[in-house]
mmCIF file of all heavy atoms in Angstrom:
data_model
loop_
_atom_site.group_PDB
_atom_site.id
_atom_site.type_symbol
_atom_site.label_atom_id
_atom_site.label_comp_id
_atom_site.label_asym_id
_atom_site.label_seq_id
_atom_site.Cartn_x
_atom_site.Cartn_y
_atom_site.Cartn_z
ATOM 1 N N GLN A 1498 90.139 76.800 66.877
ATOM 2 C CA GLN A 1498 89.628 78.135 66.712
ATOM 3 C C GLN A 1498 88.495 78.245 65.814
ATOM 4 O O GLN A 1498 87.803 79.215 65.717
ATOM 5 C CB GLN A 1498 90.812 79.116 66.206
ATOM 6 C CG GLN A 1498 91.949 79.170 67.150
ATOM 7 C CD GLN A 1498 93.086 79.916 66.496
ATOM 8 O OE1 GLN A 1498 93.024 80.352 65.306
ATOM 9 N NE2 GLN A 1498 94.189 80.100 67.280
ATOM 10 N N LEU A 1499 88.130 77.130 65.155
ATOM 11 C CA LEU A 1499 87.096 77.176 64.148
ATOM 12 C C LEU A 1499 85.814 76.439 64.689
ATOM 13 O O LEU A 1499 85.880 75.328 65.149
ATOM 14 C CB LEU A 1499 87.491 76.420 62.886
ATOM 15 C CG LEU A 1499 88.667 77.222 62.057
ATOM 16 C CD1 LEU A 1499 89.066 76.243 60.887
ATOM 17 C CD2 LEU A 1499 88.163 78.460 61.634
ATOM 18 N N PRO A 1500 84.608 77.065 64.556
ATOM 19 C CA PRO A 1500 83.372 76.404 65.041
ATOM 20 C C PRO A 1500 82.946 75.257 64.215
ATOM 21 O O PRO A 1500 82.241 74.422 64.715
ATOM 22 C CB PRO A 1500 82.339 77.615 64.895
ATOM 23 C CG PRO A 1500 82.908 78.563 63.818
ATOM 24 C CD PRO A 1500 84.405 78.465 64.030
ATOM 25 N N GLU A 1501 83.588 75.085 63.047
ATOM 26 C CA GLU A 1501 83.229 73.980 62.128
ATOM 27 C C GLU A 1501 83.543 72.598 62.865
ATOM 28 O O GLU A 1501 83.005 71.614 62.491
ATOM 29 C CB GLU A 1501 84.059 74.060 60.878
ATOM 30 C CG GLU A 1501 83.596 75.068 59.948
ATOM 31 C CD GLU A 1501 84.101 76.460 60.085
ATOM 32 O OE1 GLU A 1501 84.569 76.816 61.288
ATOM 33 O OE2 GLU A 1501 84.226 77.278 59.183
ATOM 34 N N PHE A 1502 84.550 72.644 63.796
ATOM 35 C CA PHE A 1502 84.922 71.392 64.391
ATOM 36 C C PHE A 1502 84.261 71.055 65.738
ATOM 37 O O PHE A 1502 84.621 70.096 66.374
ATOM 38 C CB PHE A 1502 86.497 71.416 64.599
ATOM 39 C CG PHE A 1502 87.262 71.298 63.343
ATOM 40 C CD1 PHE A 1502 87.768 72.422 62.672
ATOM 41 C CD2 PHE A 1502 87.523 70.049 62.774
ATOM 42 C CE1 PHE A 1502 88.503 72.375 61.519
ATOM 43 C CE2 PHE A 1502 88.319 69.987 61.623
ATOM 44 C CZ PHE A 1502 88.768 71.142 60.941
ATOM 45 N N TYR A 1503 83.330 71.945 66.177
ATOM 46 C CA TYR A 1503 82.653 71.727 67.419
ATOM 47 C C TYR A 1503 81.255 71.224 67.172
ATOM 48 O O TYR A 1503 80.817 71.178 66.062
ATOM 49 C CB TYR A 1503 82.683 72.999 68.213
ATOM 50 C CG TYR A 1503 84.091 73.351 68.721
ATOM 51 C CD1 TYR A 1503 85.002 74.041 68.052
ATOM 52 C CD2 TYR A 1503 84.562 72.795 70.076
ATOM 53 C CE1 TYR A 1503 86.272 74.379 68.478
ATOM 54 C CE2 TYR A 1503 85.830 73.109 70.493
ATOM 55 C CZ TYR A 1503 86.664 73.915 69.734
ATOM 56 O OH TYR A 1503 87.944 74.201 70.136
ATOM 57 N N ALA A 1504 80.522 70.894 68.284
ATOM 58 C CA ALA A 1504 79.231 70.369 68.146
ATOM 59 C C ALA A 1504 78.316 71.274 67.383
ATOM 60 O O ALA A 1504 78.311 72.525 67.576
ATOM 61 C CB ALA A 1504 78.621 70.154 69.565
ATOM 62 N N GLY A 1505 77.618 70.715 66.374
ATOM 63 C CA GLY A 1505 76.742 71.574 65.486
ATOM 64 C C GLY A 1505 77.460 72.112 64.323
ATOM 65 O O GLY A 1505 76.874 72.690 63.410
ATOM 66 N N GLY A 1506 78.825 71.928 64.168
ATOM 67 C CA GLY A 1506 79.588 72.425 63.115
ATOM 68 C C GLY A 1506 79.513 71.544 61.902
ATOM 69 O O GLY A 1506 78.980 70.437 62.018
ATOM 70 N N ARG A 1507 80.015 71.943 60.804
ATOM 71 C CA ARG A 1507 80.084 71.224 59.566
ATOM 72 C C ARG A 1507 80.778 69.899 59.645
ATOM 73 O O ARG A 1507 80.395 68.859 59.119
ATOM 74 C CB ARG A 1507 80.645 72.061 58.415
ATOM 75 C CG ARG A 1507 80.886 71.353 57.125
ATOM 76 C CD ARG A 1507 79.571 70.887 56.460
ATOM 77 N NE ARG A 1507 79.784 70.180 55.256
ATOM 78 C CZ ARG A 1507 80.089 68.857 55.118
ATOM 79 N NH1 ARG A 1507 80.263 68.144 56.204
ATOM 80 N NH2 ARG A 1507 80.334 68.296 53.958
ATOM 81 N N ASN A 1508 81.902 69.839 60.378
ATOM 82 C CA ASN A 1508 82.646 68.701 60.618
ATOM 83 C C ASN A 1508 83.013 68.506 62.044
ATOM 84 O O ASN A 1508 84.120 68.603 62.487
ATOM 85 C CB ASN A 1508 84.032 68.655 59.773
ATOM 86 C CG ASN A 1508 83.747 68.546 58.349
ATOM 87 O OD1 ASN A 1508 83.342 69.532 57.657
ATOM 88 N ND2 ASN A 1508 83.996 67.366 57.728
ATOM 89 N N THR A 1509 82.037 68.193 62.795
ATOM 90 C CA THR A 1509 82.131 68.026 64.326
ATOM 91 C C THR A 1509 83.238 67.039 64.724
ATOM 92 O O THR A 1509 83.165 65.916 64.218
ATOM 93 C CB THR A 1509 80.780 67.651 64.939
ATOM 94 O OG1 THR A 1509 79.788 68.590 64.632
ATOM 95 C CG2 THR A 1509 80.951 67.558 66.450
ATOM 96 N N PHE A 1510 84.155 67.520 65.421
ATOM 97 C CA PHE A 1510 85.310 66.630 65.921
ATOM 98 C C PHE A 1510 85.402 66.671 67.410
ATOM 99 O O PHE A 1510 85.357 65.703 68.139
ATOM 100 C CB PHE A 1510 86.580 66.975 65.246
ATOM 101 C CG PHE A 1510 87.727 66.058 65.564
ATOM 102 C CD1 PHE A 1510 87.853 64.901 64.827
ATOM 103 C CD2 PHE A 1510 88.592 66.379 66.578
ATOM 104 C CE1 PHE A 1510 88.861 64.021 65.143
ATOM 105 C CE2 PHE A 1510 89.589 65.480 66.886
ATOM 106 C CZ PHE A 1510 89.733 64.314 66.221
ATOM 107 N N PHE A 1511 85.576 67.923 67.903
ATOM 108 C CA PHE A 1511 85.731 68.130 69.406
ATOM 109 C C PHE A 1511 84.390 68.035 70.141
ATOM 110 O O PHE A 1511 83.463 68.697 69.754
ATOM 111 C CB PHE A 1511 86.410 69.427 69.666
ATOM 112 C CG PHE A 1511 87.682 69.665 68.941
ATOM 113 C CD1 PHE A 1511 87.862 70.577 67.918
ATOM 114 C CD2 PHE A 1511 88.832 68.871 69.315
ATOM 115 C CE1 PHE A 1511 89.051 70.735 67.226
ATOM 116 C CE2 PHE A 1511 90.009 69.019 68.611
ATOM 117 C CZ PHE A 1511 90.190 69.950 67.553
ATOM 118 N N LEU A 1512 84.372 67.185 71.115
ATOM 119 C CA LEU A 1512 83.195 66.987 71.860
ATOM 120 C C LEU A 1512 83.392 67.216 73.350
ATOM 121 O O LEU A 1512 84.483 66.898 73.897
ATOM 122 C CB LEU A 1512 82.654 65.555 71.673
ATOM 123 C CG LEU A 1512 82.329 65.133 70.179
ATOM 124 C CD1 LEU A 1512 82.055 63.617 70.097
ATOM 125 C CD2 LEU A 1512 81.159 65.884 69.695
ATOM 126 N N ASP A 1513 82.453 67.725 74.021
ATOM 127 C CA ASP A 1513 82.539 68.084 75.464
ATOM 128 C C ASP A 1513 82.712 66.823 76.294
ATOM 129 O O ASP A 1513 83.384 66.762 77.351
ATOM 130 C CB ASP A 1513 81.415 68.940 75.937
ATOM 131 C CG ASP A 1513 81.414 70.279 75.331
ATOM 132 O OD1 ASP A 1513 82.542 70.770 74.914
ATOM 133 O OD2 ASP A 1513 80.293 70.937 75.135
ATOM 134 N N ASN A 1514 81.932 65.771 75.917
ATOM 135 C CA ASN A 1514 81.909 64.584 76.651
ATOM 136 C C ASN A 1514 83.196 63.665 76.301
ATOM 137 O O ASN A 1514 83.266 63.217 75.199
ATOM 138 C CB ASN A 1514 80.625 63.710 76.366
ATOM 139 C CG ASN A 1514 80.533 62.494 77.152
ATOM 140 O OD1 ASN A 1514 81.540 61.891 77.600
ATOM 141 N ND2 ASN A 1514 79.297 62.083 77.503
ATOM 142 N N PRO A 1515 84.186 63.469 77.260
ATOM 143 C CA PRO A 1515 85.387 62.749 76.856
ATOM 144 C C PRO A 1515 85.102 61.341 76.507
ATOM 145 O O PRO A 1515 85.829 60.738 75.646
ATOM 146 C CB PRO A 1515 86.285 62.906 78.136
ATOM 147 C CG PRO A 1515 85.285 63.217 79.240
ATOM 148 C CD PRO A 1515 84.176 64.013 78.574
ATOM 149 N N TRP A 1516 84.124 60.643 77.142
ATOM 150 C CA TRP A 1516 83.878 59.298 76.805
ATOM 151 C C TRP A 1516 83.325 59.211 75.369
ATOM 152 O O TRP A 1516 83.735 58.299 74.556
ATOM 153 C CB TRP A 1516 82.731 58.714 77.699
ATOM 154 C CG TRP A 1516 83.275 58.550 79.143
ATOM 155 C CD1 TRP A 1516 83.091 59.350 80.190
ATOM 156 C CD2 TRP A 1516 84.094 57.506 79.552
ATOM 157 N NE1 TRP A 1516 83.726 58.839 81.297
ATOM 158 C CE2 TRP A 1516 84.325 57.763 81.009
ATOM 159 C CE3 TRP A 1516 84.596 56.343 78.994
ATOM 160 C CZ2 TRP A 1516 85.110 56.853 81.718
ATOM 161 C CZ3 TRP A 1516 85.399 55.502 79.809
ATOM 162 C CH2 TRP A 1516 85.626 55.743 81.158
ATOM 163 N N LEU A 1517 82.485 60.098 74.980
ATOM 164 C CA LEU A 1517 81.949 60.103 73.613
ATOM 165 C C LEU A 1517 83.030 60.465 72.611
ATOM 166 O O LEU A 1517 83.157 59.828 71.527
ATOM 167 C CB LEU A 1517 80.822 61.126 73.529
ATOM 168 C CG LEU A 1517 80.068 61.198 72.183
ATOM 169 C CD1 LEU A 1517 79.349 59.861 71.958
ATOM 170 C CD2 LEU A 1517 78.986 62.260 72.167
ATOM 171 N N PHE A 1518 83.892 61.385 73.010
ATOM 172 C CA PHE A 1518 84.938 61.857 72.083
ATOM 173 C C PHE A 1518 85.923 60.727 71.779
ATOM 174 O O PHE A 1518 86.300 60.415 70.648
ATOM 175 C CB PHE A 1518 85.707 62.966 72.802
ATOM 176 C CG PHE A 1518 86.954 63.440 71.997
ATOM 177 C CD1 PHE A 1518 86.772 64.205 70.858
ATOM 178 C CD2 PHE A 1518 88.246 63.057 72.370
ATOM 179 C CE1 PHE A 1518 87.912 64.643 70.093
ATOM 180 C CE2 PHE A 1518 89.361 63.503 71.678
ATOM 181 C CZ PHE A 1518 89.241 64.272 70.567
ATOM 182 N N TRP A 1519 86.383 59.980 72.834
ATOM 183 C CA TRP A 1519 87.386 58.935 72.619
ATOM 184 C C TRP A 1519 86.852 57.597 72.222
ATOM 185 O O TRP A 1519 87.533 56.814 71.546
ATOM 186 C CB TRP A 1519 88.195 58.756 73.928
ATOM 187 C CG TRP A 1519 89.148 59.863 74.184
ATOM 188 C CD1 TRP A 1519 88.975 60.888 75.149
ATOM 189 C CD2 TRP A 1519 90.382 60.174 73.524
ATOM 190 N NE1 TRP A 1519 90.015 61.781 75.048
ATOM 191 C CE2 TRP A 1519 90.933 61.312 74.109
ATOM 192 C CE3 TRP A 1519 91.112 59.457 72.555
ATOM 193 C CZ2 TRP A 1519 92.141 61.811 73.662
ATOM 194 C CZ3 TRP A 1519 92.319 59.963 72.139
ATOM 195 C CH2 TRP A 1519 92.793 61.138 72.708
ATOM 196 N N LEU A 1520 85.591 57.263 72.532
ATOM 197 C CA LEU A 1520 85.018 55.971 72.241
ATOM 198 C C LEU A 1520 84.083 55.913 71.094
ATOM 199 O O LEU A 1520 84.114 54.958 70.320
ATOM 200 C CB LEU A 1520 84.371 55.441 73.546
ATOM 201 C CG LEU A 1520 85.274 55.202 74.776
ATOM 202 C CD1 LEU A 1520 84.389 54.697 75.958
ATOM 203 C CD2 LEU A 1520 86.450 54.370 74.410
ATOM 204 N N ALA A 1521 83.213 56.901 71.001
ATOM 205 C CA ALA A 1521 82.096 56.785 70.031
ATOM 206 C C ALA A 1521 81.965 57.902 69.038
ATOM 207 O O ALA A 1521 80.977 57.974 68.219
ATOM 208 C CB ALA A 1521 80.752 56.491 70.788
ATOM 209 N N GLY A 1522 82.853 58.918 69.116
ATOM 210 C CA GLY A 1522 82.731 60.041 68.113
ATOM 211 C C GLY A 1522 82.912 59.560 66.777
ATOM 212 O O GLY A 1522 83.844 58.738 66.454
ATOM 213 N N PRO A 1523 82.058 59.953 65.822
ATOM 214 C CA PRO A 1523 82.137 59.515 64.426
ATOM 215 C C PRO A 1523 83.545 59.696 63.784
ATOM 216 O O PRO A 1523 83.996 58.961 62.984
ATOM 217 C CB PRO A 1523 81.091 60.291 63.695
ATOM 218 C CG PRO A 1523 80.109 60.761 64.762
ATOM 219 C CD PRO A 1523 80.990 60.901 66.015
ATOM 220 N N ARG A 1524 84.181 60.803 64.170
ATOM 221 C CA ARG A 1524 85.494 61.142 63.609
ATOM 222 C C ARG A 1524 86.634 60.920 64.556
ATOM 223 O O ARG A 1524 87.753 60.740 64.192
ATOM 224 C CB ARG A 1524 85.482 62.560 63.093
ATOM 225 C CG ARG A 1524 84.496 62.766 61.969
ATOM 226 C CD ARG A 1524 84.518 64.247 61.506
ATOM 227 N NE ARG A 1524 83.546 64.436 60.372
ATOM 228 C CZ ARG A 1524 82.322 64.845 60.516
ATOM 229 N NH1 ARG A 1524 81.763 64.981 61.658
ATOM 230 N NH2 ARG A 1524 81.654 64.979 59.437
ATOM 231 N N SER A 1525 86.351 60.994 65.843
ATOM 232 C CA SER A 1525 87.395 60.896 66.877
ATOM 233 C C SER A 1525 87.417 59.632 67.701
ATOM 234 O O SER A 1525 88.377 59.371 68.400
ATOM 235 C CB SER A 1525 87.223 62.148 67.927
ATOM 236 O OG SER A 1525 85.944 61.930 68.513
#
């Protein structure tokens, strides 16, 4: 529910691209 965890947020975690999210996301 917090924009902080999405792209452009202070602590980006959730990413629209599943490949990036699961394989190369800095936090995920």
Side-chain angles (χ1 to χ4, degrees):
Q1498 297 172 358
L1499 295 174
E1501 287 86 334
F1502 289 97
Y1503 290 88
R1507 171 64 180 84
N1508 289 77
T1509 302
F1510 185 85
F1511 303 112
L1512 302 170
D1513 294 331
N1514 185 330
W1516 291 100
L1517 187 61
F1518 175 77
W1519 287 103
L1520 298 181
R1524 297 178 176 90
S1525 63

